[in-house]
Amino acid sequence: MGDTSVKKVESRRSPRGEMGQKYLASGVRVSMRLWEDEPPGEPRPAAARDYETVGFVLKGRAELHLEGQVILLNPGDSWLVPRGSSHAYKVLETFSAVEATSPPAAVHGRDEGEGASASAKAPAKA
């Protein structure tokens, strides 16, 4: 029989990371986080992370600066930041997005401190 564990996470009770992200459900190989109402502003310095990130824009607009490219993120867009890629986000208008990371970003300090990613302050914080 397979793993029968079930997790439910209420975002209003979710722990926050030091970049402002809310940690949502997490498994062994993947985790989710929420960037909620990130204000416009300048990006933090570019960073590379030890995980892959996929994201989906709920509202607002941001630029993803990824390995010399600039990708405009609008509501309804999804994106990928490959593991180890240098990137930063610049929020252009109040931004909310959901991201999934593999392996889980919150484990073993992958998501905190210098060099943080999605990501380096996801959409203006991560």
Short mmCIF file of all heavy atoms in Angstrom, two decimals, residues 33 35 41 43-49 52-57 60-74 77-82 85-93 95 97 99 116-126:
data_model
loop_
_atom_site.label_atom_id
_atom_site.label_comp_id
_atom_site.label_asym_id
_atom_site.label_seq_id
_atom_site.Cartn_x
_atom_site.Cartn_y
_atom_site.Cartn_z
N ARG A 33 4.72 27.41 -1.64
CA ARG A 33 4.78 28.62 -0.82
C ARG A 33 3.97 29.70 -1.53
O ARG A 33 3.71 29.63 -2.73
CB ARG A 33 6.20 29.06 -0.57
CG ARG A 33 6.97 29.38 -1.82
CD ARG A 33 8.41 29.61 -1.49
NE ARG A 33 9.17 29.83 -2.71
CZ ARG A 33 10.46 29.98 -2.74
NH1 ARG A 33 11.16 29.94 -1.63
NH2 ARG A 33 11.08 30.19 -3.87
N TRP A 35 3.48 33.90 -2.02
CA TRP A 35 3.94 35.29 -1.92
C TRP A 35 2.67 36.12 -2.03
O TRP A 35 1.99 36.05 -3.05
CB TRP A 35 4.91 35.62 -3.05
CG TRP A 35 6.10 34.74 -3.02
CD1 TRP A 35 6.29 33.58 -3.72
CD2 TRP A 35 7.27 34.91 -2.22
NE1 TRP A 35 7.51 33.04 -3.41
CE2 TRP A 35 8.13 33.83 -2.49
CE3 TRP A 35 7.66 35.89 -1.31
CZ2 TRP A 35 9.37 33.70 -1.88
CZ3 TRP A 35 8.90 35.75 -0.70
CH2 TRP A 35 9.75 34.67 -0.98
N GLY A 41 8.99 47.39 -5.99
CA GLY A 41 10.28 47.86 -5.50
C GLY A 41 11.42 47.27 -6.30
O GLY A 41 11.21 46.48 -7.22
N PRO A 43 14.65 44.95 -7.05
CA PRO A 43 14.98 43.56 -6.68
C PRO A 43 16.20 43.51 -5.76
O PRO A 43 17.01 44.42 -5.74
CB PRO A 43 15.29 42.90 -8.02
CG PRO A 43 15.75 44.01 -8.90
CD PRO A 43 14.98 45.24 -8.45
N ARG A 44 16.29 42.44 -5.01
CA ARG A 44 17.51 42.15 -4.26
C ARG A 44 18.54 41.68 -5.27
O ARG A 44 18.20 41.36 -6.41
CB ARG A 44 17.26 41.04 -3.24
CG ARG A 44 16.37 41.48 -2.10
CD ARG A 44 16.28 40.38 -1.07
NE ARG A 44 15.43 40.78 0.04
CZ ARG A 44 15.09 39.99 1.02
NH1 ARG A 44 15.52 38.74 1.04
NH2 ARG A 44 14.32 40.42 1.99
N PRO A 45 19.79 41.55 -4.86
CA PRO A 45 20.80 41.03 -5.79
C PRO A 45 20.40 39.64 -6.30
O PRO A 45 19.76 38.86 -5.58
CB PRO A 45 22.05 40.96 -4.93
CG PRO A 45 21.82 41.95 -3.83
CD PRO A 45 20.34 41.92 -3.57
N ALA A 46 20.80 39.33 -7.51
CA ALA A 46 20.50 38.02 -8.09
C ALA A 46 21.06 36.91 -7.22
O ALA A 46 22.08 37.09 -6.54
CB ALA A 46 21.06 37.93 -9.50
N ALA A 47 20.38 35.77 -7.22
CA ALA A 47 20.79 34.61 -6.42
C ALA A 47 20.53 33.34 -7.19
O ALA A 47 19.74 33.32 -8.14
CB ALA A 47 20.02 34.61 -5.10
N ALA A 48 21.17 32.28 -6.76
CA ALA A 48 20.93 30.94 -7.33
C ALA A 48 20.57 30.02 -6.17
O ALA A 48 21.15 30.12 -5.10
CB ALA A 48 22.18 30.45 -8.05
N ARG A 49 19.61 29.15 -6.38
CA ARG A 49 19.14 28.25 -5.32
C ARG A 49 19.38 26.80 -5.67
O ARG A 49 19.47 26.43 -6.83
CB ARG A 49 17.64 28.45 -5.11
CG ARG A 49 17.25 29.79 -4.65
CD ARG A 49 17.77 30.02 -3.25
NE ARG A 49 17.16 31.21 -2.73
CZ ARG A 49 17.11 31.51 -1.47
NH1 ARG A 49 17.63 30.73 -0.59
NH2 ARG A 49 16.56 32.63 -1.08
N GLU A 52 14.60 23.65 -7.86
CA GLU A 52 13.88 24.12 -9.04
C GLU A 52 12.58 24.76 -8.57
O GLU A 52 11.98 24.29 -7.60
CB GLU A 52 13.58 22.90 -9.92
CG GLU A 52 12.80 23.18 -11.17
CD GLU A 52 12.66 21.93 -12.00
OE1 GLU A 52 11.93 21.01 -11.55
OE2 GLU A 52 13.25 21.86 -13.07
N THR A 53 12.17 25.84 -9.23
CA THR A 53 10.94 26.54 -8.85
C THR A 53 10.02 26.68 -10.05
O THR A 53 10.47 27.06 -11.13
CB THR A 53 11.27 27.96 -8.34
OG1 THR A 53 12.15 27.87 -7.22
CG2 THR A 53 10.01 28.71 -7.93
N VAL A 54 8.74 26.37 -9.85
CA VAL A 54 7.71 26.72 -10.83
C VAL A 54 6.72 27.60 -10.09
O VAL A 54 6.48 27.43 -8.89
CB VAL A 54 6.99 25.49 -11.46
CG1 VAL A 54 7.95 24.69 -12.31
CG2 VAL A 54 6.36 24.62 -10.41
N GLY A 55 6.18 28.60 -10.79
CA GLY A 55 5.27 29.53 -10.13
C GLY A 55 4.09 29.88 -11.01
O GLY A 55 4.11 29.65 -12.23
N PHE A 56 3.07 30.47 -10.37
CA PHE A 56 1.85 30.91 -11.05
C PHE A 56 1.45 32.25 -10.47
O PHE A 56 1.31 32.39 -9.24
CB PHE A 56 0.73 29.90 -10.88
CG PHE A 56 -0.55 30.30 -11.57
CD1 PHE A 56 -0.71 30.09 -12.93
CD2 PHE A 56 -1.57 30.90 -10.86
CE1 PHE A 56 -1.88 30.47 -13.57
CE2 PHE A 56 -2.75 31.28 -11.49
CZ PHE A 56 -2.90 31.07 -12.86
N VAL A 57 1.25 33.26 -11.34
CA VAL A 57 0.87 34.60 -10.90
C VAL A 57 -0.62 34.67 -10.63
O VAL A 57 -1.44 34.41 -11.52
CB VAL A 57 1.25 35.67 -11.96
CG1 VAL A 57 0.87 37.06 -11.47
CG2 VAL A 57 2.73 35.60 -12.31
N GLY A 60 -1.15 41.02 -10.01
CA GLY A 60 -0.02 41.93 -10.10
C GLY A 60 0.89 41.59 -11.27
O GLY A 60 0.60 40.73 -12.09
N ARG A 61 2.02 42.34 -11.32
CA ARG A 61 2.99 42.13 -12.39
C ARG A 61 4.39 42.21 -11.80
O ARG A 61 4.64 42.98 -10.87
CB ARG A 61 2.84 43.20 -13.48
CG ARG A 61 1.55 43.13 -14.23
CD ARG A 61 1.41 44.18 -15.35
NE ARG A 61 1.99 45.47 -15.06
CZ ARG A 61 3.06 45.99 -15.68
NH1 ARG A 61 3.66 45.35 -16.64
NH2 ARG A 61 3.52 47.19 -15.34
N ALA A 62 5.29 41.43 -12.39
CA ALA A 62 6.69 41.45 -11.96
C ALA A 62 7.57 41.09 -13.14
O ALA A 62 7.11 40.52 -14.13
CB ALA A 62 6.92 40.45 -10.82
N GLU A 63 8.84 41.47 -13.03
CA GLU A 63 9.84 41.02 -13.99
C GLU A 63 10.68 39.95 -13.32
O GLU A 63 11.09 40.10 -12.16
CB GLU A 63 10.78 42.16 -14.37
CG GLU A 63 10.15 43.26 -15.17
CD GLU A 63 11.11 44.41 -15.43
OE1 GLU A 63 12.20 44.47 -14.80
OE2 GLU A 63 10.74 45.25 -16.27
N LEU A 64 10.93 38.89 -14.04
CA LEU A 64 11.85 37.84 -13.60
C LEU A 64 13.13 38.03 -14.41
O LEU A 64 13.11 37.96 -15.64
CB LEU A 64 11.25 36.46 -13.86
CG LEU A 64 12.19 35.27 -13.71
CD1 LEU A 64 12.84 35.20 -12.33
CD2 LEU A 64 11.45 33.98 -14.03
N HIS A 65 14.21 38.35 -13.72
CA HIS A 65 15.52 38.50 -14.36
C HIS A 65 16.24 37.16 -14.16
O HIS A 65 16.60 36.81 -13.04
CB HIS A 65 16.29 39.65 -13.71
CG HIS A 65 15.62 40.97 -13.89
ND1 HIS A 65 16.15 41.96 -14.68
CD2 HIS A 65 14.44 41.45 -13.41
CE1 HIS A 65 15.33 43.01 -14.68
NE2 HIS A 65 14.29 42.72 -13.91
N LEU A 66 16.42 36.44 -15.26
CA LEU A 66 16.91 35.06 -15.20
C LEU A 66 18.03 34.86 -16.20
O LEU A 66 17.79 34.91 -17.42
CB LEU A 66 15.76 34.09 -15.49
CG LEU A 66 16.08 32.61 -15.54
CD1 LEU A 66 16.50 32.09 -14.18
CD2 LEU A 66 14.89 31.83 -16.06
N GLU A 67 19.26 34.70 -15.70
CA GLU A 67 20.41 34.40 -16.55
C GLU A 67 20.49 35.33 -17.77
O GLU A 67 20.63 34.89 -18.91
CB GLU A 67 20.36 32.94 -17.00
CG GLU A 67 20.52 31.93 -15.88
CD GLU A 67 21.93 31.90 -15.28
OE1 GLU A 67 22.88 32.39 -15.91
OE2 GLU A 67 22.07 31.38 -14.15
N GLY A 68 20.36 36.65 -17.53
CA GLY A 68 20.50 37.63 -18.61
C GLY A 68 19.23 37.90 -19.40
O GLY A 68 19.22 38.73 -20.29
N GLN A 69 18.15 37.21 -19.09
CA GLN A 69 16.86 37.44 -19.76
C GLN A 69 15.93 38.19 -18.80
O GLN A 69 16.07 38.07 -17.60
CB GLN A 69 16.21 36.11 -20.11
CG GLN A 69 17.05 35.19 -20.97
CD GLN A 69 16.38 33.83 -21.09
OE1 GLN A 69 15.37 33.71 -21.76
NE2 GLN A 69 16.94 32.84 -20.41
N VAL A 70 14.96 38.91 -19.36
CA VAL A 70 13.93 39.56 -18.55
C VAL A 70 12.59 39.05 -19.04
O VAL A 70 12.24 39.20 -20.21
CB VAL A 70 13.99 41.10 -18.66
CG1 VAL A 70 12.86 41.73 -17.85
CG2 VAL A 70 15.34 41.62 -18.19
N ILE A 71 11.85 38.40 -18.14
CA ILE A 71 10.55 37.81 -18.47
C ILE A 71 9.49 38.58 -17.69
O ILE A 71 9.58 38.69 -16.46
CB ILE A 71 10.51 36.31 -18.11
CG1 ILE A 71 11.55 35.54 -18.93
CG2 ILE A 71 9.14 35.73 -18.36
CD1 ILE A 71 12.78 35.22 -18.19
N LEU A 72 8.50 39.14 -18.39
CA LEU A 72 7.41 39.84 -17.74
C LEU A 72 6.38 38.83 -17.26
O LEU A 72 5.92 37.99 -18.04
CB LEU A 72 6.76 40.85 -18.70
CG LEU A 72 5.64 41.69 -18.11
CD1 LEU A 72 6.14 42.54 -16.94
CD2 LEU A 72 5.05 42.60 -19.19
N LEU A 73 6.03 38.88 -15.98
CA LEU A 73 5.05 37.98 -15.39
C LEU A 73 3.76 38.74 -15.12
O LEU A 73 3.76 39.74 -14.39
CB LEU A 73 5.58 37.39 -14.08
CG LEU A 73 6.88 36.60 -14.19
CD1 LEU A 73 7.38 36.19 -12.81
CD2 LEU A 73 6.69 35.38 -15.08
N ASN A 74 2.65 38.28 -15.71
CA ASN A 74 1.32 38.87 -15.57
C ASN A 74 0.37 37.86 -14.95
O ASN A 74 0.65 36.65 -14.97
CB ASN A 74 0.78 39.28 -16.95
CG ASN A 74 1.56 40.41 -17.56
OD1 ASN A 74 1.62 41.49 -16.99
ND2 ASN A 74 2.17 40.17 -18.72
N ASP A 77 0.06 33.90 -15.76
CA ASP A 77 1.31 33.34 -16.28
C ASP A 77 1.91 32.36 -15.29
O ASP A 77 1.75 32.50 -14.08
CB ASP A 77 2.35 34.45 -16.52
CG ASP A 77 2.01 35.37 -17.67
OD1 ASP A 77 1.10 35.05 -18.47
OD2 ASP A 77 2.68 36.43 -17.78
N SER A 78 2.63 31.39 -15.83
CA SER A 78 3.43 30.49 -14.99
C SER A 78 4.87 30.56 -15.49
O SER A 78 5.13 30.99 -16.62
CB SER A 78 2.89 29.06 -15.04
OG SER A 78 2.89 28.55 -16.35
N TRP A 79 5.82 30.16 -14.64
CA TRP A 79 7.23 30.25 -15.00
C TRP A 79 8.02 29.15 -14.34
O TRP A 79 7.56 28.49 -13.40
CB TRP A 79 7.79 31.63 -14.64
CG TRP A 79 8.00 31.85 -13.17
CD1 TRP A 79 9.15 31.62 -12.45
CD2 TRP A 79 7.05 32.34 -12.22
NE1 TRP A 79 8.96 31.94 -11.13
CE2 TRP A 79 7.68 32.39 -10.96
CE3 TRP A 79 5.71 32.74 -12.30
CZ2 TRP A 79 7.04 32.82 -9.80
CZ3 TRP A 79 5.08 33.17 -11.15
CH2 TRP A 79 5.74 33.22 -9.93
N LEU A 80 9.25 28.98 -14.83
CA LEU A 80 10.19 28.01 -14.29
C LEU A 80 11.53 28.70 -14.05
O LEU A 80 12.01 29.43 -14.92
CB LEU A 80 10.41 26.86 -15.29
CG LEU A 80 11.63 25.96 -15.03
CD1 LEU A 80 11.41 25.08 -13.82
CD2 LEU A 80 11.93 25.14 -16.26
N VAL A 81 12.10 28.47 -12.88
CA VAL A 81 13.48 28.87 -12.59
C VAL A 81 14.24 27.56 -12.35
O VAL A 81 14.00 26.87 -11.35
CB VAL A 81 13.58 29.78 -11.34
CG1 VAL A 81 15.04 30.05 -11.00
CG2 VAL A 81 12.82 31.08 -11.55
N PRO A 82 15.13 27.19 -13.27
CA PRO A 82 15.89 25.95 -13.09
C PRO A 82 16.80 26.01 -11.86
O PRO A 82 17.28 27.09 -11.48
CB PRO A 82 16.72 25.84 -14.37
CG PRO A 82 15.99 26.69 -15.37
CD PRO A 82 15.40 27.81 -14.56
N SER A 85 20.08 28.44 -11.28
CA SER A 85 20.07 29.60 -12.18
C SER A 85 20.11 30.91 -11.41
O SER A 85 19.38 31.08 -10.44
CB SER A 85 18.81 29.59 -13.04
OG SER A 85 18.80 28.47 -13.88
N SER A 86 20.91 31.84 -11.88
CA SER A 86 20.98 33.16 -11.27
C SER A 86 19.73 33.94 -11.66
O SER A 86 19.41 34.05 -12.84
CB SER A 86 22.22 33.89 -11.76
OG SER A 86 22.27 35.19 -11.23
N HIS A 87 19.04 34.47 -10.66
CA HIS A 87 17.79 35.18 -10.94
C HIS A 87 17.42 36.15 -9.82
O HIS A 87 17.93 36.07 -8.71
CB HIS A 87 16.64 34.18 -11.15
CG HIS A 87 16.29 33.45 -9.90
ND1 HIS A 87 17.07 32.45 -9.37
CD2 HIS A 87 15.26 33.60 -9.07
CE1 HIS A 87 16.51 32.01 -8.26
NE2 HIS A 87 15.41 32.69 -8.05
N ALA A 88 16.52 37.08 -10.16
CA ALA A 88 15.96 38.04 -9.21
C ALA A 88 14.60 38.46 -9.75
O ALA A 88 14.34 38.32 -10.95
CB ALA A 88 16.86 39.26 -9.06
N TYR A 89 13.74 38.93 -8.88
CA TYR A 89 12.42 39.42 -9.27
C TYR A 89 12.34 40.91 -8.98
O TYR A 89 12.84 41.37 -7.96
CB TYR A 89 11.31 38.73 -8.48
CG TYR A 89 11.20 37.25 -8.72
CD1 TYR A 89 11.98 36.35 -8.01
CD2 TYR A 89 10.30 36.76 -9.65
CE1 TYR A 89 11.86 34.99 -8.22
CE2 TYR A 89 10.17 35.39 -9.86
CZ TYR A 89 10.96 34.51 -9.14
OH TYR A 89 10.84 33.17 -9.35
N LYS A 90 11.66 41.64 -9.85
CA LYS A 90 11.35 43.05 -9.61
C LYS A 90 9.84 43.18 -9.70
O LYS A 90 9.25 42.98 -10.76
CB LYS A 90 12.00 43.95 -10.65
CG LYS A 90 11.69 45.42 -10.42
CD LYS A 90 12.38 46.31 -11.42
CE LYS A 90 12.07 47.76 -11.10
NZ LYS A 90 12.78 48.66 -12.02
N VAL A 91 9.21 43.50 -8.58
CA VAL A 91 7.75 43.65 -8.56
C VAL A 91 7.40 45.01 -9.14
O VAL A 91 7.91 46.04 -8.69
CB VAL A 91 7.19 43.49 -7.14
CG1 VAL A 91 5.70 43.79 -7.11
CG2 VAL A 91 7.46 42.09 -6.62
N LEU A 92 6.50 44.99 -10.13
CA LEU A 92 6.07 46.22 -10.80
C LEU A 92 4.76 46.75 -10.22
O LEU A 92 4.57 47.96 -10.15
CB LEU A 92 5.92 45.97 -12.30
CG LEU A 92 7.17 45.44 -13.00
CD1 LEU A 92 6.85 45.09 -14.45
CD2 LEU A 92 8.31 46.42 -12.91
N GLU A 93 3.85 45.84 -9.86
CA GLU A 93 2.63 46.23 -9.14
C GLU A 93 2.31 45.13 -8.15
O GLU A 93 2.67 43.97 -8.35
CB GLU A 93 1.47 46.56 -10.08
CG GLU A 93 1.01 45.58 -11.01
CD GLU A 93 -0.07 45.97 -12.00
OE1 GLU A 93 0.05 46.93 -12.76
OE2 GLU A 93 -1.04 45.20 -12.02
N PHE A 95 1.99 42.21 -5.97
CA PHE A 95 2.14 40.90 -6.59
C PHE A 95 1.81 39.76 -5.64
O PHE A 95 2.26 39.77 -4.48
CB PHE A 95 3.60 40.77 -7.04
CG PHE A 95 3.91 39.62 -7.93
CD1 PHE A 95 3.64 39.67 -9.28
CD2 PHE A 95 4.53 38.48 -7.42
CE1 PHE A 95 3.96 38.61 -10.12
CE2 PHE A 95 4.85 37.41 -8.24
CZ PHE A 95 4.56 37.49 -9.60
N ALA A 97 1.66 35.36 -5.82
CA ALA A 97 1.96 34.19 -6.63
C ALA A 97 2.11 32.96 -5.74
O ALA A 97 2.43 33.07 -4.56
CB ALA A 97 3.25 34.40 -7.42
N GLU A 99 4.18 29.31 -5.61
CA GLU A 99 5.33 28.59 -6.18
C GLU A 99 5.40 27.19 -5.61
O GLU A 99 5.00 26.96 -4.47
CB GLU A 99 6.64 29.31 -5.86
CG GLU A 99 6.80 30.64 -6.52
CD GLU A 99 8.13 31.29 -6.18
OE1 GLU A 99 8.65 31.11 -5.06
OE2 GLU A 99 8.65 31.98 -7.06
N ALA A 116 19.55 33.73 -1.39
CA ALA A 116 18.21 33.19 -1.51
C ALA A 116 17.66 33.42 -2.89
O ALA A 116 18.08 34.30 -3.58
CB ALA A 116 17.32 33.84 -0.47
N SER A 117 16.67 32.65 -3.26
CA SER A 117 16.17 32.71 -4.62
C SER A 117 14.72 33.05 -4.72
O SER A 117 14.16 33.62 -3.88
CB SER A 117 16.47 31.38 -5.23
OG SER A 117 15.63 31.03 -6.24
N ALA A 118 14.01 32.59 -5.50
CA ALA A 118 12.74 32.98 -6.00
C ALA A 118 12.09 33.99 -5.22
O ALA A 118 11.38 33.79 -4.43
CB ALA A 118 11.66 31.97 -6.19
N SER A 119 12.32 34.40 -5.34
CA SER A 119 13.51 33.71 -5.30
C SER A 119 14.35 34.78 -4.93
O SER A 119 13.95 35.76 -4.53
CB SER A 119 13.55 32.86 -6.47
OG SER A 119 12.60 31.89 -6.65
N ALA A 120 15.31 35.15 -4.81
CA ALA A 120 16.07 36.20 -4.22
C ALA A 120 15.20 37.33 -3.73
O ALA A 120 15.55 38.47 -3.82
CB ALA A 120 17.02 36.74 -5.24
N LYS A 121 14.16 37.03 -3.25
CA LYS A 121 13.13 37.92 -2.73
C LYS A 121 12.03 37.79 -3.75
O LYS A 121 11.87 38.62 -4.60
CB LYS A 121 13.57 39.35 -2.59
CG LYS A 121 12.56 40.12 -1.81
CD LYS A 121 12.99 41.48 -1.44
CE LYS A 121 11.93 42.03 -0.61
NZ LYS A 121 11.64 43.24 -0.31
N ALA A 122 11.39 36.73 -3.64
CA ALA A 122 10.36 36.36 -4.60
C ALA A 122 9.66 37.56 -5.07
O ALA A 122 9.40 38.45 -4.31
CB ALA A 122 9.35 35.45 -3.97
N PRO A 123 9.25 37.43 -6.24
CA PRO A 123 8.66 38.56 -6.88
C PRO A 123 8.74 39.68 -5.88
O PRO A 123 7.85 39.88 -5.10
CB PRO A 123 7.27 38.09 -7.17
CG PRO A 123 7.43 36.62 -7.35
CD PRO A 123 8.64 36.25 -6.54
N ALA A 124 9.81 40.31 -5.93
CA ALA A 124 10.13 41.33 -4.96
C ALA A 124 10.28 40.64 -3.65
O ALA A 124 10.16 41.20 -2.63
CB ALA A 124 9.04 42.36 -4.87
N LYS A 125 10.49 39.44 -3.67
CA LYS A 125 10.84 38.65 -2.52
C LYS A 125 11.01 37.23 -2.95
O LYS A 125 11.29 36.44 -2.13
CB LYS A 125 9.78 38.72 -1.45
CG LYS A 125 10.07 39.80 -0.47
CD LYS A 125 9.24 39.64 0.74
CE LYS A 125 9.52 40.74 1.67
NZ LYS A 125 8.66 40.88 2.75
N ALA A 126 10.84 36.81 -3.72
CA ALA A 126 11.01 35.44 -4.03
C ALA A 126 10.63 35.12 -5.35
O ALA A 126 10.11 35.33 -6.03
CB ALA A 126 10.25 34.49 -3.31
#
